[in-house]
PDB file of all heavy atoms in Angstrom:
ATOM      1  N   ALA A  43     -66.027  62.622  -6.383  1.00 93.00           N
ATOM      2  CA  ALA A  43     -67.380  63.123  -6.193  1.00 93.00           C
ATOM      3  C   ALA A  43     -67.940  62.570  -4.872  1.00 93.00           C
ATOM      4  O   ALA A  43     -68.527  63.290  -4.089  1.00 93.00           O
ATOM      5  CB  ALA A  43     -68.266  62.735  -7.403  1.00 93.00           C
ATOM      6  N   TYR A  44     -67.747  61.273  -4.642  1.00 94.00           N
ATOM      7  CA  TYR A  44     -68.242  60.633  -3.414  1.00 94.00           C
ATOM      8  C   TYR A  44     -67.625  61.300  -2.163  1.00 94.00           C
ATOM      9  O   TYR A  44     -68.333  61.567  -1.209  1.00 94.00           O
ATOM     10  CB  TYR A  44     -67.870  59.153  -3.481  1.00 94.00           C
ATOM     11  CG  TYR A  44     -67.942  58.333  -2.221  1.00 94.00           C
ATOM     12  CD1 TYR A  44     -69.154  57.818  -1.775  1.00 94.00           C
ATOM     13  CD2 TYR A  44     -66.797  58.140  -1.444  1.00 94.00           C
ATOM     14  CE1 TYR A  44     -69.232  57.111  -0.588  1.00 94.00           C
ATOM     15  CE2 TYR A  44     -66.848  57.445  -0.275  1.00 94.00           C
ATOM     16  CZ  TYR A  44     -68.082  56.881   0.152  1.00 94.00           C
ATOM     17  OH  TYR A  44     -68.118  56.178   1.321  1.00 94.00           O
ATOM     18  N   SER A  45     -66.314  61.577  -2.270  1.00 93.00           N
ATOM     19  CA  SER A  45     -65.631  62.098  -1.070  1.00 93.00           C
ATOM     20  C   SER A  45     -66.019  63.557  -0.848  1.00 93.00           C
ATOM     21  O   SER A  45     -66.102  64.036   0.263  1.00 93.00           O
ATOM     22  CB  SER A  45     -64.102  61.998  -1.207  1.00 93.00           C
ATOM     23  OG  SER A  45     -63.760  60.706  -1.458  1.00 93.00           O
ATOM     24  N   ALA A  46     -66.190  64.308  -1.940  1.00 92.00           N
ATOM     25  CA  ALA A  46     -66.319  65.774  -1.796  1.00 92.00           C
ATOM     26  C   ALA A  46     -67.772  66.243  -1.774  1.00 92.00           C
ATOM     27  O   ALA A  46     -67.997  67.363  -1.303  1.00 92.00           O
ATOM     28  CB  ALA A  46     -65.559  66.473  -2.913  1.00 92.00           C
ATOM     29  N   PHE A  47     -68.741  65.426  -2.229  1.00 93.00           N
ATOM     30  CA  PHE A  47     -70.063  65.961  -2.365  1.00 93.00           C
ATOM     31  C   PHE A  47     -70.676  66.506  -1.040  1.00 93.00           C
ATOM     32  O   PHE A  47     -71.130  67.615  -1.066  1.00 93.00           O
ATOM     33  CB  PHE A  47     -71.051  64.923  -2.960  1.00 93.00           C
ATOM     34  CG  PHE A  47     -72.431  65.490  -3.139  1.00 93.00           C
ATOM     35  CD1 PHE A  47     -72.667  66.409  -4.150  1.00 93.00           C
ATOM     36  CD2 PHE A  47     -73.430  65.206  -2.235  1.00 93.00           C
ATOM     37  CE1 PHE A  47     -73.939  66.986  -4.283  1.00 93.00           C
ATOM     38  CE2 PHE A  47     -74.672  65.776  -2.357  1.00 93.00           C
ATOM     39  CZ  PHE A  47     -74.937  66.681  -3.374  1.00 93.00           C
ATOM     40  N   PRO A  48     -70.610  65.791   0.057  1.00 94.00           N
ATOM     41  CA  PRO A  48     -71.170  66.323   1.291  1.00 94.00           C
ATOM     42  C   PRO A  48     -70.537  67.663   1.670  1.00 94.00           C
ATOM     43  O   PRO A  48     -71.186  68.574   2.179  1.00 94.00           O
ATOM     44  CB  PRO A  48     -70.898  65.241   2.351  1.00 94.00           C
ATOM     45  CG  PRO A  48     -70.811  63.984   1.589  1.00 94.00           C
ATOM     46  CD  PRO A  48     -70.185  64.384   0.252  1.00 94.00           C
ATOM     47  N   ILE A  49     -69.205  67.787   1.400  1.00 94.00           N
ATOM     48  CA  ILE A  49     -68.515  69.033   1.738  1.00 94.00           C
ATOM     49  C   ILE A  49     -68.992  70.137   0.822  1.00 94.00           C
ATOM     50  O   ILE A  49     -69.275  71.293   1.284  1.00 94.00           O
ATOM     51  CB  ILE A  49     -66.999  68.814   1.626  1.00 94.00           C
ATOM     52  CG1 ILE A  49     -66.545  67.736   2.590  1.00 94.00           C
ATOM     53  CG2 ILE A  49     -66.238  70.094   1.910  1.00 94.00           C
ATOM     54  CD1 ILE A  49     -65.154  67.233   2.392  1.00 94.00           C
ATOM     55  N   TYR A  50     -69.118  69.820  -0.454  1.00 94.00           N
ATOM     56  CA  TYR A  50     -69.664  70.793  -1.430  1.00 94.00           C
ATOM     57  C   TYR A  50     -71.067  71.232  -1.007  1.00 94.00           C
ATOM     58  O   TYR A  50     -71.316  72.449  -0.931  1.00 94.00           O
ATOM     59  CB  TYR A  50     -69.693  70.128  -2.797  1.00 94.00           C
ATOM     60  CG  TYR A  50     -70.503  70.830  -3.838  1.00 94.00           C
ATOM     61  CD1 TYR A  50     -70.008  71.942  -4.528  1.00 94.00           C
ATOM     62  CD2 TYR A  50     -71.798  70.371  -4.183  1.00 94.00           C
ATOM     63  CE1 TYR A  50     -70.757  72.552  -5.510  1.00 94.00           C
ATOM     64  CE2 TYR A  50     -72.545  71.007  -5.150  1.00 94.00           C
ATOM     65  CZ  TYR A  50     -72.044  72.110  -5.815  1.00 94.00           C
ATOM     66  OH  TYR A  50     -72.805  72.729  -6.732  1.00 94.00           O
ATOM     67  N   TRP A  51     -71.867  70.299  -0.594  1.00 92.00           N
ATOM     68  CA  TRP A  51     -73.237  70.608  -0.225  1.00 92.00           C
ATOM     69  C   TRP A  51     -73.281  71.497   1.024  1.00 92.00           C
ATOM     70  O   TRP A  51     -74.098  72.431   1.110  1.00 92.00           O
ATOM     71  CB  TRP A  51     -74.018  69.331  -0.028  1.00 92.00           C
ATOM     72  CG  TRP A  51     -75.497  69.584  -0.037  1.00 92.00           C
ATOM     73  CD1 TRP A  51     -76.356  69.483   0.979  1.00 92.00           C
ATOM     74  CD2 TRP A  51     -76.283  69.987  -1.187  1.00 92.00           C
ATOM     75  NE1 TRP A  51     -77.620  69.811   0.577  1.00 92.00           N
ATOM     76  CE2 TRP A  51     -77.569  70.118  -0.752  1.00 92.00           C
ATOM     77  CE3 TRP A  51     -75.960  70.238  -2.536  1.00 92.00           C
ATOM     78  CZ2 TRP A  51     -78.610  70.510  -1.591  1.00 92.00           C
ATOM     79  CZ3 TRP A  51     -76.929  70.672  -3.365  1.00 92.00           C
ATOM     80  CH2 TRP A  51     -78.299  70.785  -2.897  1.00 92.00           C
ATOM     81  N   MET A  52     -72.395  71.195   1.949  1.00 93.00           N
ATOM     82  CA  MET A  52     -72.320  72.031   3.165  1.00 93.00           C
ATOM     83  C   MET A  52     -71.994  73.462   2.810  1.00 93.00           C
ATOM     84  O   MET A  52     -72.644  74.391   3.279  1.00 93.00           O
ATOM     85  CB  MET A  52     -71.242  71.422   4.092  1.00 93.00           C
ATOM     86  CG  MET A  52     -70.773  72.295   5.229  1.00 93.00           C
ATOM     87  SD  MET A  52     -69.498  71.471   6.160  1.00 93.00           S
ATOM     88  CE  MET A  52     -68.010  71.990   5.312  1.00 93.00           C
ATOM     89  N   VAL A  53     -70.980  73.662   1.980  1.00 92.00           N
ATOM     90  CA  VAL A  53     -70.516  75.026   1.621  1.00 92.00           C
ATOM     91  C   VAL A  53     -71.577  75.752   0.856  1.00 92.00           C
ATOM     92  O   VAL A  53     -71.932  76.887   1.201  1.00 92.00           O
ATOM     93  CB  VAL A  53     -69.186  74.970   0.856  1.00 92.00           C
ATOM     94  CG1 VAL A  53     -68.758  76.367   0.439  1.00 92.00           C
ATOM     95  CG2 VAL A  53     -68.095  74.325   1.713  1.00 92.00           C
ATOM     96  N   ILE A  54     -72.165  75.108  -0.181  1.00 90.00           N
ATOM     97  CA  ILE A  54     -73.119  75.886  -0.987  1.00 90.00           C
ATOM     98  C   ILE A  54     -74.398  76.154  -0.224  1.00 90.00           C
ATOM     99  O   ILE A  54     -75.048  77.182  -0.421  1.00 90.00           O
ATOM    100  CB  ILE A  54     -73.394  75.218  -2.381  1.00 90.00           C
ATOM    101  CG1 ILE A  54     -74.250  73.980  -2.234  1.00 90.00           C
ATOM    102  CG2 ILE A  54     -72.197  75.063  -3.208  1.00 90.00           C
ATOM    103  CD1 ILE A  54     -74.971  73.654  -3.502  1.00 90.00           C
ATOM    104  N   SER A  55     -74.787  75.247   0.692  1.00 90.00           N
ATOM    105  CA  SER A  55     -75.961  75.509   1.492  1.00 90.00           C
ATOM    106  C   SER A  55     -75.764  76.720   2.376  1.00 90.00           C
ATOM    107  O   SER A  55     -76.659  77.506   2.650  1.00 90.00           O
ATOM    108  CB  SER A  55     -76.343  74.314   2.360  1.00 90.00           C
ATOM    109  OG  SER A  55     -76.581  73.179   1.572  1.00 90.00           O
ATOM    110  N   SER A  56     -74.525  76.855   2.890  1.00 89.00           N
ATOM    111  CA  SER A  56     -74.241  78.003   3.769  1.00 89.00           C
ATOM    112  C   SER A  56     -74.246  79.317   3.037  1.00 89.00           C
ATOM    113  O   SER A  56     -74.496  80.359   3.580  1.00 89.00           O
ATOM    114  CB  SER A  56     -72.900  77.802   4.487  1.00 89.00           C
ATOM    115  OG  SER A  56     -71.821  78.022   3.592  1.00 89.00           O
ATOM    116  N   LEU A  57     -73.958  79.231   1.708  1.00 90.00           N
ATOM    117  CA  LEU A  57     -73.891  80.463   0.897  1.00 90.00           C
ATOM    118  C   LEU A  57     -75.181  80.740   0.155  1.00 90.00           C
ATOM    119  O   LEU A  57     -75.246  81.679  -0.620  1.00 90.00           O
ATOM    120  CB  LEU A  57     -72.766  80.370  -0.109  1.00 90.00           C
ATOM    121  CG  LEU A  57     -71.328  80.358   0.522  1.00 90.00           C
ATOM    122  CD1 LEU A  57     -70.286  80.069  -0.535  1.00 90.00           C
ATOM    123  CD2 LEU A  57     -71.052  81.726   1.116  1.00 90.00           C
ATOM    124  N   ARG A  58     -76.194  79.908   0.361  1.00 87.00           N
ATOM    125  CA  ARG A  58     -77.438  80.068  -0.380  1.00 87.00           C
ATOM    126  C   ARG A  58     -78.372  81.022   0.430  1.00 87.00           C
ATOM    127  O   ARG A  58     -78.297  81.049   1.665  1.00 87.00           O
ATOM    128  CB  ARG A  58     -78.091  78.688  -0.550  1.00 87.00           C
ATOM    129  CG  ARG A  58     -79.192  78.664  -1.567  1.00 87.00           C
ATOM    130  CD  ARG A  58     -79.590  77.234  -1.878  1.00 87.00           C
ATOM    131  NE  ARG A  58     -78.800  76.682  -2.988  1.00 87.00           N
ATOM    132  CZ  ARG A  58     -78.925  75.461  -3.452  1.00 87.00           C
ATOM    133  NH1 ARG A  58     -79.731  74.638  -2.874  1.00 87.00           N
ATOM    134  NH2 ARG A  58     -78.185  75.058  -4.473  1.00 87.00           N
ATOM    135  N   ASP A  59     -79.167  81.718  -0.273  1.00 84.00           N
ATOM    136  CA  ASP A  59     -80.178  82.571   0.357  1.00 84.00           C
ATOM    137  C   ASP A  59     -81.026  81.691   1.280  1.00 84.00           C
ATOM    138  O   ASP A  59     -81.687  80.745   0.801  1.00 84.00           O
ATOM    139  CB  ASP A  59     -81.086  83.211  -0.749  1.00 84.00           C
ATOM    140  CG  ASP A  59     -82.073  84.144  -0.153  1.00 84.00           C
ATOM    141  OD1 ASP A  59     -82.272  84.098   1.066  1.00 84.00           O
ATOM    142  OD2 ASP A  59     -82.659  84.908  -0.943  1.00 84.00           O
ATOM    143  N   PRO A  60     -81.062  81.954   2.604  1.00 82.00           N
ATOM    144  CA  PRO A  60     -81.772  81.047   3.538  1.00 82.00           C
ATOM    145  C   PRO A  60     -83.247  80.800   3.180  1.00 82.00           C
ATOM    146  O   PRO A  60     -83.784  79.759   3.486  1.00 82.00           O
ATOM    147  CB  PRO A  60     -81.640  81.775   4.886  1.00 82.00           C
ATOM    148  CG  PRO A  60     -80.539  82.724   4.703  1.00 82.00           C
ATOM    149  CD  PRO A  60     -80.402  83.072   3.261  1.00 82.00           C
ATOM    150  N   ASN A  61     -83.867  81.803   2.516  1.00 81.00           N
ATOM    151  CA  ASN A  61     -85.278  81.625   2.156  1.00 81.00           C
ATOM    152  C   ASN A  61     -85.477  80.557   1.072  1.00 81.00           C
ATOM    153  O   ASN A  61     -86.513  80.017   0.967  1.00 81.00           O
ATOM    154  CB  ASN A  61     -85.877  82.908   1.670  1.00 81.00           C
ATOM    155  CG  ASN A  61     -85.743  84.008   2.717  1.00 81.00           C
ATOM    156  OD1 ASN A  61     -85.997  83.712   3.927  1.00 81.00           O
ATOM    157  ND2 ASN A  61     -85.344  85.179   2.335  1.00 81.00           N
ATOM    158  N   LYS A  62     -84.416  80.320   0.294  1.00 79.00           N
ATOM    159  CA  LYS A  62     -84.500  79.375  -0.812  1.00 79.00           C
ATOM    160  C   LYS A  62     -84.140  77.958  -0.341  1.00 79.00           C
ATOM    161  O   LYS A  62     -84.250  76.991  -1.085  1.00 79.00           O
ATOM    162  CB  LYS A  62     -83.564  79.751  -1.917  1.00 79.00           C
ATOM    163  CG  LYS A  62     -83.904  81.055  -2.590  1.00 79.00           C
ATOM    164  CD  LYS A  62     -84.985  80.857  -3.653  1.00 79.00           C
ATOM    165  CE  LYS A  62     -85.280  82.116  -4.425  1.00 79.00           C
ATOM    166  NZ  LYS A  62     -86.134  83.074  -3.630  1.00 79.00           N
ATOM    167  N   LEU A  63     -83.638  77.816   0.955  1.00 78.00           N
ATOM    168  CA  LEU A  63     -83.184  76.530   1.415  1.00 78.00           C
ATOM    169  C   LEU A  63     -84.294  75.539   1.568  1.00 78.00           C
ATOM    170  O   LEU A  63     -84.091  74.294   1.518  1.00 78.00           O
ATOM    171  CB  LEU A  63     -82.453  76.659   2.762  1.00 78.00           C
ATOM    172  CG  LEU A  63     -80.999  77.057   2.733  1.00 78.00           C
ATOM    173  CD1 LEU A  63     -80.485  77.196   4.128  1.00 78.00           C
ATOM    174  CD2 LEU A  63     -80.178  76.047   1.978  1.00 78.00           C
ATOM    175  N   PHE A  64     -85.513  76.016   1.746  1.00 78.00           N
ATOM    176  CA  PHE A  64     -86.587  75.128   2.060  1.00 78.00           C
ATOM    177  C   PHE A  64     -87.518  74.848   0.887  1.00 78.00           C
ATOM    178  O   PHE A  64     -88.610  74.362   0.991  1.00 78.00           O
ATOM    179  CB  PHE A  64     -87.380  75.563   3.277  1.00 78.00           C
ATOM    180  CG  PHE A  64     -86.509  75.530   4.490  1.00 78.00           C
ATOM    181  CD1 PHE A  64     -85.822  76.687   4.928  1.00 78.00           C
ATOM    182  CD2 PHE A  64     -86.233  74.330   5.116  1.00 78.00           C
ATOM    183  CE1 PHE A  64     -84.973  76.579   6.024  1.00 78.00           C
ATOM    184  CE2 PHE A  64     -85.366  74.243   6.187  1.00 78.00           C
ATOM    185  CZ  PHE A  64     -84.743  75.393   6.638  1.00 78.00           C
ATOM    186  N   GLN A  65     -86.973  75.199  -0.303  1.00 78.00           N
ATOM    187  CA  GLN A  65     -87.634  74.749  -1.559  1.00 78.00           C
ATOM    188  C   GLN A  65     -86.870  73.535  -2.043  1.00 78.00           C
ATOM    189  O   GLN A  65     -85.865  73.151  -1.543  1.00 78.00           O
ATOM    190  CB  GLN A  65     -87.558  75.888  -2.594  1.00 78.00           C
ATOM    191  CG  GLN A  65     -88.266  77.126  -2.059  1.00 78.00           C
ATOM    192  CD  GLN A  65     -87.991  78.346  -2.959  1.00 78.00           C
ATOM    193  OE1 GLN A  65     -87.285  78.186  -3.941  1.00 78.00           O
ATOM    194  NE2 GLN A  65     -88.542  79.446  -2.580  1.00 78.00           N
ATOM    195  N   VAL A  66     -87.457  72.906  -3.077  1.00 77.00           N
ATOM    196  CA  VAL A  66     -86.759  71.748  -3.639  1.00 77.00           C
ATOM    197  C   VAL A  66     -85.394  72.184  -4.118  1.00 77.00           C
ATOM    198  O   VAL A  66     -85.235  73.135  -4.855  1.00 77.00           O
ATOM    199  CB  VAL A  66     -87.605  71.157  -4.834  1.00 77.00           C
ATOM    200  CG1 VAL A  66     -86.813  70.033  -5.485  1.00 77.00           C
ATOM    201  CG2 VAL A  66     -88.927  70.621  -4.297  1.00 77.00           C
ATOM    202  N   PRO A  67     -84.345  71.515  -3.640  1.00 81.00           N
ATOM    203  CA  PRO A  67     -82.984  71.985  -3.852  1.00 81.00           C
ATOM    204  C   PRO A  67     -82.478  71.753  -5.315  1.00 81.00           C
ATOM    205  O   PRO A  67     -82.898  70.828  -5.938  1.00 81.00           O
ATOM    206  CB  PRO A  67     -82.134  71.153  -2.892  1.00 81.00           C
ATOM    207  CG  PRO A  67     -82.958  69.888  -2.701  1.00 81.00           C
ATOM    208  CD  PRO A  67     -84.374  70.281  -2.844  1.00 81.00           C
ATOM    209  N   THR A  68     -81.592  72.608  -5.740  1.00 81.00           N
ATOM    210  CA  THR A  68     -80.910  72.399  -7.021  1.00 81.00           C
ATOM    211  C   THR A  68     -79.450  72.068  -6.724  1.00 81.00           C
ATOM    212  O   THR A  68     -78.885  72.539  -5.750  1.00 81.00           O
ATOM    213  CB  THR A  68     -80.890  73.674  -7.894  1.00 81.00           C
ATOM    214  OG1 THR A  68     -80.459  74.753  -7.089  1.00 81.00           O
ATOM    215  CG2 THR A  68     -82.338  73.999  -8.351  1.00 81.00           C
ATOM    216  N   LEU A  69     -78.876  71.244  -7.581  1.00 82.00           N
ATOM    217  CA  LEU A  69     -77.486  70.796  -7.338  1.00 82.00           C
ATOM    218  C   LEU A  69     -76.489  71.937  -7.514  1.00 82.00           C
ATOM    219  O   LEU A  69     -75.421  71.943  -6.897  1.00 82.00           O
ATOM    220  CB  LEU A  69     -77.157  69.642  -8.268  1.00 82.00           C
ATOM    221  CG  LEU A  69     -77.648  68.280  -7.826  1.00 82.00           C
ATOM    222  CD1 LEU A  69     -77.417  67.252  -8.921  1.00 82.00           C
ATOM    223  CD2 LEU A  69     -77.011  67.822  -6.537  1.00 82.00           C
ATOM    224  N   ALA A  70     -76.854  72.894  -8.373  1.00 81.00           N
ATOM    225  CA  ALA A  70     -75.926  74.018  -8.630  1.00 81.00           C
ATOM    226  C   ALA A  70     -76.052  75.028  -7.468  1.00 81.00           C
ATOM    227  O   ALA A  70     -77.090  75.097  -6.824  1.00 81.00           O
ATOM    228  CB  ALA A  70     -76.297  74.697  -9.931  1.00 81.00           C
ATOM    229  N   PRO A  71     -74.992  75.719  -7.185  1.00 83.00           N
ATOM    230  CA  PRO A  71     -75.034  76.708  -6.113  1.00 83.00           C
ATOM    231  C   PRO A  71     -75.924  77.931  -6.446  1.00 83.00           C
ATOM    232  O   PRO A  71     -76.293  78.118  -7.641  1.00 83.00           O
ATOM    233  CB  PRO A  71     -73.567  77.150  -5.991  1.00 83.00           C
ATOM    234  CG  PRO A  71     -72.910  76.785  -7.218  1.00 83.00           C
ATOM    235  CD  PRO A  71     -73.666  75.630  -7.818  1.00 83.00           C
ATOM    236  N   GLY A  72     -76.248  78.720  -5.424  1.00 74.00           N
ATOM    237  CA  GLY A  72     -76.981  79.937  -5.666  1.00 74.00           C
ATOM    238  C   GLY A  72     -78.466  79.810  -5.284  1.00 74.00           C
ATOM    239  O   GLY A  72     -78.893  78.665  -5.092  1.00 74.00           O
ATOM    240  N   PRO A  73     -79.237  80.851  -5.157  1.00 83.00           N
ATOM    241  CA  PRO A  73     -78.796  82.229  -5.249  1.00 83.00           C
ATOM    242  C   PRO A  73     -77.929  82.597  -4.011  1.00 83.00           C
ATOM    243  O   PRO A  73     -78.221  82.237  -2.904  1.00 83.00           O
ATOM    244  CB  PRO A  73     -80.080  83.046  -5.213  1.00 83.00           C
ATOM    245  CG  PRO A  73     -81.095  82.145  -4.608  1.00 83.00           C
ATOM    246  CD  PRO A  73     -80.713  80.742  -4.931  1.00 83.00           C
ATOM    247  N   PHE A  74     -76.844  83.304  -4.352  1.00 85.00           N
ATOM    248  CA  PHE A  74     -75.802  83.576  -3.384  1.00 85.00           C
ATOM    249  C   PHE A  74     -76.283  84.606  -2.321  1.00 85.00           C
ATOM    250  O   PHE A  74     -76.919  85.563  -2.658  1.00 85.00           O
ATOM    251  CB  PHE A  74     -74.581  84.119  -4.116  1.00 85.00           C
ATOM    252  CG  PHE A  74     -73.479  84.546  -3.247  1.00 85.00           C
ATOM    253  CD1 PHE A  74     -72.611  83.641  -2.677  1.00 85.00           C
ATOM    254  CD2 PHE A  74     -73.286  85.902  -2.941  1.00 85.00           C
ATOM    255  CE1 PHE A  74     -71.579  84.029  -1.838  1.00 85.00           C
ATOM    256  CE2 PHE A  74     -72.286  86.277  -2.090  1.00 85.00           C
ATOM    257  CZ  PHE A  74     -71.368  85.385  -1.553  1.00 85.00           C
ATOM    258  N   SER A  75     -75.952  84.343  -1.023  1.00 84.00           N
ATOM    259  CA  SER A  75     -76.235  85.299   0.021  1.00 84.00           C
ATOM    260  C   SER A  75     -75.359  84.986   1.198  1.00 84.00           C
ATOM    261  O   SER A  75     -75.038  83.850   1.520  1.00 84.00           O
ATOM    262  CB  SER A  75     -77.724  85.170   0.399  1.00 84.00           C
ATOM    263  OG  SER A  75     -77.900  85.538   1.755  1.00 84.00           O
ATOM    264  N   LEU A  76     -74.965  86.027   1.921  1.00 85.00           N
ATOM    265  CA  LEU A  76     -74.112  85.866   3.108  1.00 85.00           C
ATOM    266  C   LEU A  76     -74.950  85.953   4.368  1.00 85.00           C
ATOM    267  O   LEU A  76     -74.411  85.997   5.463  1.00 85.00           O
ATOM    268  CB  LEU A  76     -73.011  86.888   3.153  1.00 85.00           C
ATOM    269  CG  LEU A  76     -71.782  86.591   2.253  1.00 85.00           C
ATOM    270  CD1 LEU A  76     -70.786  87.721   2.324  1.00 85.00           C
ATOM    271  CD2 LEU A  76     -71.105  85.280   2.649  1.00 85.00           C
ATOM    272  N   GLU A  77     -76.258  85.934   4.212  1.00 84.00           N
ATOM    273  CA  GLU A  77     -77.143  86.178   5.347  1.00 84.00           C
ATOM    274  C   GLU A  77     -76.897  85.192   6.489  1.00 84.00           C
ATOM    275  O   GLU A  77     -76.850  85.573   7.687  1.00 84.00           O
ATOM    276  CB  GLU A  77     -78.579  86.131   4.922  1.00 84.00           C
ATOM    277  CG  GLU A  77     -79.545  86.693   5.951  1.00 84.00           C
ATOM    278  CD  GLU A  77     -80.982  86.500   5.577  1.00 84.00           C
ATOM    279  OE1 GLU A  77     -81.323  86.659   4.373  1.00 84.00           O
ATOM    280  OE2 GLU A  77     -81.769  86.172   6.466  1.00 84.00           O
ATOM    281  N   SER A  78     -76.744  83.869   6.148  1.00 86.00           N
ATOM    282  CA  SER A  78     -76.530  82.868   7.200  1.00 86.00           C
ATOM    283  C   SER A  78     -75.322  83.215   8.048  1.00 86.00           C
ATOM    284  O   SER A  78     -75.328  83.071   9.274  1.00 86.00           O
ATOM    285  CB  SER A  78     -76.318  81.504   6.559  1.00 86.00           C
ATOM    286  OG  SER A  78     -77.495  81.159   5.859  1.00 86.00           O
ATOM    287  N   TYR A  79     -74.238  83.628   7.384  1.00 90.00           N
ATOM    288  CA  TYR A  79     -73.028  83.942   8.110  1.00 90.00           C
ATOM    289  C   TYR A  79     -73.226  85.210   9.001  1.00 90.00           C
ATOM    290  O   TYR A  79     -72.782  85.224  10.152  1.00 90.00           O
ATOM    291  CB  TYR A  79     -71.845  84.216   7.157  1.00 90.00           C
ATOM    292  CG  TYR A  79     -71.317  82.963   6.528  1.00 90.00           C
ATOM    293  CD1 TYR A  79     -71.836  82.444   5.345  1.00 90.00           C
ATOM    294  CD2 TYR A  79     -70.275  82.237   7.151  1.00 90.00           C
ATOM    295  CE1 TYR A  79     -71.363  81.244   4.811  1.00 90.00           C
ATOM    296  CE2 TYR A  79     -69.826  81.071   6.613  1.00 90.00           C
ATOM    297  CZ  TYR A  79     -70.332  80.583   5.441  1.00 90.00           C
ATOM    298  OH  TYR A  79     -69.875  79.429   4.941  1.00 90.00           O
ATOM    299  N   GLU A  80     -73.927  86.192   8.447  1.00 87.00           N
ATOM    300  CA  GLU A  80     -74.155  87.417   9.219  1.00 87.00           C
ATOM    301  C   GLU A  80     -74.933  87.067  10.500  1.00 87.00           C
ATOM    302  O   GLU A  80     -74.568  87.497  11.616  1.00 87.00           O
ATOM    303  CB  GLU A  80     -74.959  88.446   8.374  1.00 87.00           C
ATOM    304  CG  GLU A  80     -74.055  89.231   7.460  1.00 87.00           C
ATOM    305  CD  GLU A  80     -74.867  90.038   6.458  1.00 87.00           C
ATOM    306  OE1 GLU A  80     -76.008  90.391   6.746  1.00 87.00           O
ATOM    307  OE2 GLU A  80     -74.324  90.282   5.381  1.00 87.00           O
ATOM    308  N   VAL A  81     -76.010  86.308  10.327  1.00 86.00           N
ATOM    309  CA  VAL A  81     -76.827  85.952  11.505  1.00 86.00           C
ATOM    310  C   VAL A  81     -76.001  85.167  12.498  1.00 86.00           C
ATOM    311  O   VAL A  81     -75.986  85.451  13.698  1.00 86.00           O
ATOM    312  CB  VAL A  81     -78.077  85.142  11.066  1.00 86.00           C
ATOM    313  CG1 VAL A  81     -78.828  84.644  12.275  1.00 86.00           C
ATOM    314  CG2 VAL A  81     -78.981  86.002  10.181  1.00 86.00           C
ATOM    315  N   LEU A  82     -75.247  84.179  11.984  1.00 85.00           N
ATOM    316  CA  LEU A  82     -74.448  83.304  12.864  1.00 85.00           C
ATOM    317  C   LEU A  82     -73.460  84.155  13.689  1.00 85.00           C
ATOM    318  O   LEU A  82     -73.249  83.897  14.866  1.00 85.00           O
ATOM    319  CB  LEU A  82     -73.685  82.289  12.036  1.00 85.00           C
ATOM    320  CG  LEU A  82     -72.849  81.291  12.812  1.00 85.00           C
ATOM    321  CD1 LEU A  82     -73.741  80.242  13.431  1.00 85.00           C
ATOM    322  CD2 LEU A  82     -71.777  80.652  11.933  1.00 85.00           C
TER     323      LEU A  82
END
Side-chain angles (χ1 to χ4, degrees):
Chain A
Y44 165 84
S45 304
F47 181 75
I49 299 169
Y50 165 80
W51 197 248
M52 166 181 89
V53 176
I54 70 158
S55 300
S56 73
L57 291 171
R58 194 169 270 178
D59 183 347
N61 301 317
K62 295 276 185 282
L63 277 179
F64 295 97
Q65 299 170 0
V66 174
T68 52
L69 281 172
F74 175 80
S75 153
L76 280 178
E77 195 186 320
S78 299
Y79 285 90
E80 278 168 26
V81 174
L82 181 78

